[in-house]
Amino acid sequence: MAALVNSESRQAIQQFLGDNFTSLESLELVDDLLKEEERTHAQLEQEAAAASKTTQSLVAEASGVADSVHSKAMRLINVHSKVVGSTADESVSAWEFRDGTAVMELVSKLAAELQIYRRLRQAKEYIDEFIEIEKIAEQAAQNMAKSSQGVLSAYSASIALLSKHSNDSEVTDNISAQSLLEYIKHTVSSIWTDAETTAANAQSECLRKMGWPGKIDPPVAVLGEFGANFSMLASLDHITRDASEILLQSGVQLQSEDAPPLPLKHIARAVDIRMRYHFESARGTSRADKPEWWLSQVMNMVRSLVPLLELHLQSLYDRSALPPLDVRNEFIRLIQPIIQHKLAHDRSDYISNGLVIAHVSRELSEFEHTLQDVYFFDGPSVLDAFLADSDIFSAWVNAERKSAIDSYMETIADPGAFNQLYEDEVLDRDDPKPTQIAQNVVMLISDIAERYAVVPSCMQQLQFLSTTQFPVVIALVEDVEGEIDEFSRISLAFIRDASSTVSGSGANSPFAAQLRRLASWYQTVWYVEEAARDWNDSAIYVDMWAAVCRHARALGGDADPRDWRDECDDWSEKDRNVLDDCVTLETNEEWLDGGIWERTIKTLGELKQRILELMSRAINKDTVGQLRAYRKKANWASEGVGADADVEVSIELSGLLPELSHLVSMLSELLPFSGSAYLLRSLAAELDTFLVERVASAHQFNSSGGWQLAMDVSAISRVLRASAGSSALRGPSGQLLVKAVECARILSCSLDGEELPGDNDMALSLSEWAPAVLDAATDDKEAMLVLGKLGIRHLSIEKIRQLIKRRVDFAATFSSPEMF
């Protein structure tokens, strides 16, 4: 028993007793402790039994795993024997594998062999795939010239193979798989290229056989062959579009997403080839200044192809699986890049010679209108894209401006710039008579407008107007104003000196020459003004006015459309959208009477009026200057003056009246009715004032002298009345020089009713009515009522009293101080 308890157990027991039995009383706890220890012992035995059971289960499981490993090892040995062709492993007995290390060594060896096997199997699969793609390529090549269906079948198979390998997860990490995929992609591209080229060449050959680019008259067989190739290209295009996602995923770019239908693309390509051969080479037909040559050729080619497109190809296309479209319209759309390429080819020539751009734009506009009107083409405009090039547009504008200014400067430098172009008999009096410079200005502006009328953008048209046309009118206005300023500065030199001998008279006088000079300026400005009025109502300028009104409305506030020139240099794309947006203009009463040329018309009208005023001053000064001797005449109150009824006019007027008659006639020839009427009204008013203030109010008269004044006034009136516009010169009473006539009536009125040589129809003699007028107690209004009945209505009461006092015979009879 002692042997069963070792020293460690003994020590544990001693420790236990020492801890639990420290006194006699603690011995009573022995039973409790023994029971507790028994329970603990029983629990431990239960745990030991469970552990034993678990151990047995694990041992059984381990034995099964070992058997499984042994079985699998034996199978691997058999596989290995088959792979390496050896039977050496068949003698290996089971007990040799009971050692786990030996098993793992064999497994490692077999695993390495298995990797070789797998690589060999993959290699075989790749070789099979290569063989398959080679067969597809061979099928396509063999059927390329025989069977379109065979080619299309091979093409579809190549795309299917591409789809299979593009989705293979091993491609990314496997160089062999990548190489295979690249080869498949190459094969797909090659089949596409070869099929497209073969069918396209065959289609072009059929076009040639049908007589294109001349009139197409296709034989039935050729038309069938053409249709087969057309359908082949359409099917090829359809297959490619359906596989677009696969091709995009694989990185194969056969055609762009927005590529045109393949058969139509190659029909257009035939046009492109001919264009480049004839018009983009070193041949004599390749000229930038002759756009009509190549545009007419393109139109001829379109014209010859349209019947084929409409009668045959539209139905073929409709039977294809391609998206529906109008074959004719699409073909014309494919012509646009060809035209753009030609324009780009000649771009440097256009920029160096900007005026050619106008010719090119005109031809392009007519070409596009034909496509729209005849073939109902609704595609984009080549002209829009052409003029959207800022360098092209600037070159055109600058060339137009330089050409216009050079032409204007050349004409204005000619000494005969303001000479009238046509004889007076050619044009009516009220038609403006063009001078050389006026006609040059009008033709320049009209020609420029005609050239840029084809520009689709209203904003660009306004830039043309502002940059090339307005400067010409401004130059004319500045030159005429300069002439007027110089004339005004030295105009006093043209006042005649009645005391000196004037070299020449009438039409040959220097004064007449100066009037013709002024009239030529007037006619120049008038002719351009009338042209501007016509321009203001023409369609192109009405559209421009509507555009600037739209723009002003868009700006809001108090924007005035007439201020458009101040901001046109800063217009942006947003402004262009507003200006080019052809919408209905809302009614705006303030702008209805306006126009794009409104301010120009106003400026020219003001300049024309300034010329008339200058002519009026010159005529008035010259005429009054010739009346210097008449003003100094001092025998109005002498006995015998006017005693002979046969006396016509004062001798002092003998020189003026012929000159005045010639002036009236000359003005009717030089100016329109309105202009000459204005000048003669002004002259009549000047003479009326002169006769009243410088003659009637400045001298003493008797009745005979008054009668002589009446004869003189009548003679001057007859000369003025001889003008075609005499009705416009008369005053309210139907007479000319109305105040001078009334002065003469007062001064020629008989003193006491005696008979006078002249005809004075006043009902009362001077002695009967003059005292009452001179009487300070007489009411002025009552006096004027009486005088009105005597035919004196325009002179003031003060002037009438002054004239009465100028009657020396009345003063001698009525010498009352209250009256005088």
Side-chain angles (χ1 to χ4, degrees):
M1 186 69 179
L4 296 176
V5 180
N6 56 28
S7 58
E8 293 179 358
S9 298
R10 187 179 293 108
Q11 290 178 359
I13 292 171
Q14 290 177 355
Q15 181 67 32
F16 175 78
L17 293 175
D19 293 337
N20 294 284
F21 302 102
T22 55
S23 62
L24 293 176
E25 289 82 3
S26 60
L27 293 177
E28 296 176 359
L29 300 175
V30 172
D31 292 336
D32 294 334
L33 292 175
L34 289 175
K35 292 177 180 180
E36 180 67 26
E37 288 299 328
E38 287 176 356
R39 286 194 298 270
T40 301
H41 181 72
Q43 183 179 355
L44 291 175
E45 285 182 348
Q46 291 176 358
E47 291 177 357
S52 176
K53 185 177 180 180
T54 300
T55 301
Q56 291 175 0
S57 175
L58 291 174
V59 170
E61 184 178 353
S63 177
V65 171
D67 292 340
S68 175
V69 171
H70 179 269
S71 175
K72 291 180 179 180
M74 294 304 296
R75 287 199 299 272
L76 289 175
I77 291 172
N78 294 332
V79 171
H80 179 265
S81 300
K82 292 178 181 179
V83 172
V84 300
S86 171
T87 59
D89 295 319
E90 294 178 358
S91 59
V92 178
S93 59
W95 62 267
E96 296 182 18
F97 295 98
R98 292 174 183 168
D99 186 352
T101 302
V103 171
M104 294 309 298
E105 289 178 355
L106 178 59
V107 168
S108 298
K109 180 178 179 182
L110 292 177
E113 297 292 345
L114 184 59
Q115 290 297 324
I116 295 173
Y117 170 72
R118 288 177 177 173
R119 286 197 295 271
L120 290 174
R121 184 178 62 185
Q122 289 178 351
K124 181 178 182 300
E125 290 175 353
Y126 293 153
I127 291 172
D128 292 342
E129 296 291 353
F130 272 109
I131 292 172
E132 182 178 356
I133 194 63
E134 284 292 340
K135 287 180 179 179
I136 292 173
E138 184 178 356
Q139 176 189 350
Q142 290 175 351
N143 289 283
M144 197 64 69
K146 299 177 182 178
S147 171
S148 59
Q149 290 302 320
V151 175
L152 294 174
S153 176
Y155 181 59
S156 298
S158 67
I159 291 178
L161 199 58
L162 178 64
S163 176
K164 172 185 175 182
H165 286 274
S166 295
N167 297 322
D168 191 348
S169 60
E170 297 183 2
V171 171
T172 304
D173 301 324
N174 193 310
I175 298 177
S176 298
Q178 294 176 3
S179 300
L180 177 61
L181 180 60
E182 289 299 322
Y183 185 68
I184 296 173
K185 289 159 61 175
H186 171 74
T187 302
V188 170
S189 298
S190 297
I191 295 175
W192 157 271
T193 302
D194 293 343
E196 179 190 17
T197 302
T198 302
N201 290 340
Q203 181 176 266
S204 298
E205 180 63 19
C206 289
L207 277 177
R208 186 190 65 79
K209 292 178 181 179
M210 288 188 288
W212 189 82
K215 182 179 180 180
I216 294 180
D217 186 14
V220 176
V222 176
L223 185 60
E225 183 182 353
F226 181 88
N229 288 290
F230 185 93
S231 299
M232 165 66 180
L233 289 171
S235 299
L236 189 67
D237 192 359
H238 171 62
I239 294 171
T240 305
R241 291 176 189 273
D242 281 352
S244 58
E245 292 185 6
I246 299 172
L247 295 172
L248 180 63
Q249 179 182 352
S250 303
V252 179
Q253 183 68 33
L254 299 181
Q255 60 181 8
S256 61
E257 293 182 5
D258 57 347
L262 202 56
L264 296 179
K265 170 186 172 183
H266 285 285
I267 296 177
R269 183 171 174 270
V271 177
D272 188 25
I273 291 173
R274 295 187 65 83
M275 274 289 297
R276 298 197 186 200
Y277 176 76
H278 290 287
F279 303 109
E280 296 182 25
S281 60
R283 300 173 66 86
T285 51
S286 180
R287 291 180 55 177
D289 61 334
K290 295 292 183 181
E292 63 273 22
W293 288 3
W294 55 271
L295 283 172
S296 64
Q297 288 299 311
V298 173
M299 182 58 69
N300 289 337
M301 287 187 279
V302 170
R303 189 177 293 114
S304 64
L305 280 169
V306 163
L308 178 68
L309 295 169
E310 295 177 336
L311 299 177
H312 301 287
L313 301 189
Q314 183 68 62
S315 60
L316 285 176
Y317 184 89
D318 292 341
R319 289 196 296 270
S320 72
L322 292 174
L325 53 76
D326 184 336
V327 169
R328 178 193 59 208
N329 197 73
E330 180 67 11
F331 170 71
I332 295 175
R333 188 184 70 81
L334 295 177
I335 297 297
Q336 309 301 299
I338 300 173
I339 298 174
Q340 290 174 337
H341 189 276
K342 169 61 179 172
L343 294 173
H345 178 270
D346 295 336
R347 184 174 183 273
S348 59
D349 293 329
Y350 297 151
I351 292 176
S352 61
N353 184 7
L355 291 179
V356 174
I357 301 173
H359 181 41
V360 174
S361 298
R362 170 67 62 181
E363 294 295 329
L364 278 175
S365 177
E366 293 178 358
F367 176 81
E368 291 186 341
H369 284 158
T370 301
L371 294 180
Q372 294 164 2
D373 298 340
V374 178
Y375 301 111
F376 308 104
F377 177 63
D378 58 359
S381 168
V382 175
L383 181 59
D384 277 350
F386 178 59
L387 295 179
D389 186 332
S390 59
D391 293 336
I392 290 290
F393 182 72
S394 297
W396 184 6
V397 171
N398 294 335
E400 287 283 9
R401 180 174 61 246
K402 183 179 185 303
S403 176
I405 294 300
D406 289 348
S407 177
Y408 173 82
M409 295 304 295
E410 181 181 356
T411 305
I412 198 68
D414 189 331
F418 290 96
N419 290 349
Q420 185 175 316
L421 290 176
Y422 309 112
E423 298 295 334
D424 293 338
E425 294 77 10
V426 176
L427 298 171
D428 186 75
R429 176 185 179 183
D430 288 328
D431 291 331
K433 299 176 176 61
T435 59
Q436 290 187 25
I437 188 61
Q439 181 166 280
N440 175 260
V441 168
V442 171
M443 290 183 64
L444 282 174
I445 292 174
S446 299
D447 290 346
I448 292 173
E450 182 180 0
R451 286 192 288 271
Y452 75 66
V454 301
V455 175
S457 168
C458 190
M459 187 183 83
Q460 289 183 328
Q461 289 183 343
L462 287 165
Q463 290 171 335
F464 262 110
L465 175 63
S466 175
T467 309
T468 64
Q469 293 173 294
F470 281 164
V472 176
V473 179
I474 291 171
L476 175 66
V477 170
E478 290 176 348
D479 285 335
V480 173
E481 286 180 338
E483 295 284 349
I484 292 173
D485 292 340
E486 180 66 16
F487 185 90
S488 300
R489 187 177 64 83
I490 61 176
S491 61
L492 292 177
F494 306 130
I495 300 178
R496 301 188 191 202
D497 184 357
S499 62
S500 61
T501 302
V502 180
S503 61
S505 63
N508 299 321
S509 67
F511 178 71
Q514 294 304 324
L515 284 183
R516 289 192 183 89
R517 183 183 176 195
L518 288 166
S520 70
W521 299 343
Y522 181 92
Q523 292 285 355
T524 297
V525 176
W526 183 30
Y527 185 77
V528 178
E529 179 193 22
E530 290 300 310
R533 294 184 187 278
D534 293 338
W535 297 331
N536 215 35
D537 296 332
S538 64
I540 184 173
Y541 296 114
V542 169
D543 290 342
M544 290 187 196
W545 177 244
V548 296
C549 288
R550 283 197 304 272
H551 187 257
R553 186 174 64 247
L555 292 177
D558 299 328
D560 189 334
R562 291 166 293 193
D563 296 332
W564 66 272
R565 285 196 68 198
D566 299 336
E567 55 191 24
C568 67
D569 292 337
D570 300 324
W571 278 339
S572 63
E573 190 63 28
K574 179 180 179 181
D575 297 306
R576 176 170 184 157
N577 293 335
V578 174
L579 291 165
D580 293 350
D581 183 17
C582 297
V583 297
T584 303
L585 180 64
E586 296 177 3
T587 301
N588 189 318
E589 297 294 338
E590 183 181 355
W591 298 344
L592 283 180
D593 296 331
I596 207 74
W597 288 95
E598 178 183 352
R599 289 186 172 174
T600 299
I601 295 171
K602 180 181 178 182
T603 299
L604 293 170
E606 292 172 350
L607 182 58
K608 188 175 64 173
Q609 184 62 31
R610 184 182 173 191
I611 296 171
L612 282 179
E613 292 172 356
L614 184 59
M615 293 181 73
S616 176
R617 288 198 301 270
I619 291 171
N620 294 348
K621 288 179 181 179
D622 181 78
T623 303
V624 170
Q626 293 185 72
L627 289 171
R628 195 171 302 169
Y630 185 75
R631 178 173 58 84
K632 294 179 180 180
K633 177 182 169 75
N635 61 345
W636 298 105
S638 302
E639 293 295 330
V641 176
D644 186 356
D646 295 332
V647 175
E648 290 292 333
V649 295
S650 299
I651 190 172
E652 291 83 358
L653 286 181
S654 59
L656 171 67
L657 294 179
E659 290 289 337
L660 187 60
S661 176
H662 176 266
L663 173 66
V664 171
S665 176
M666 183 172 65
L667 290 179
S668 66
E669 295 175 358
L670 294 177
L671 298 173
F673 169 79
S674 59
S676 62
Y678 173 85
L679 295 178
L680 292 177
R681 279 198 302 268
S682 175
L683 178 59
E686 184 74 16
L687 290 174
D688 200 18
T689 301
F690 177 84
L691 292 171
V692 172
E693 301 295 337
R694 307 295 294 276
V695 178
S697 300
H699 296 282
Q700 299 290 334
F701 286 84
N702 59 21
S703 58
S704 298
W707 174 83
Q708 184 63 63
L709 177 63
M711 294 295 291
D712 293 344
V713 172
S714 177
I716 295 174
S717 296
R718 283 195 304 272
V719 174
L720 294 177
R721 195 177 293 116
S723 68
S726 60
S727 61
L729 307 181
R730 294 174 182 172
S733 64
Q735 295 179 330
L736 296 173
L737 309 175
V738 290
K739 291 184 179 181
V741 169
E742 292 182 0
C743 286
R745 289 172 64 84
I746 295 172
L747 295 174
S748 65
C749 183
S750 65
L751 181 62
D752 292 313
E754 72 272 15
E755 185 178 353
L756 296 174
D759 182 16
N760 191 312
D761 58 356
M762 294 186 71
L764 301 175
S765 64
L766 187 63
S767 60
E768 291 176 317
W769 61 267
V773 173
L774 292 176
D775 189 352
T778 303
D779 183 70
D780 290 349
K781 292 183 179 180
E782 292 181 359
M784 290 303 298
L785 288 174
V786 174
L787 291 169
K789 294 179 180 180
L790 296 175
I792 301 173
R793 300 181 180 87
H794 301 93
L795 292 174
S796 66
I797 188 67
E798 290 79 8
K799 180 60 67 177
I800 295 171
R801 288 168 178 166
Q802 181 185 6
L803 292 172
I804 294 173
K805 294 175 182 179
R806 288 293 175 181
R807 284 288 296 268
V808 294
D809 49 356
F810 179 80
T813 303
F814 299 91
S815 56
S816 171
E818 291 80 5
M819 293 183 180
F820 294 90

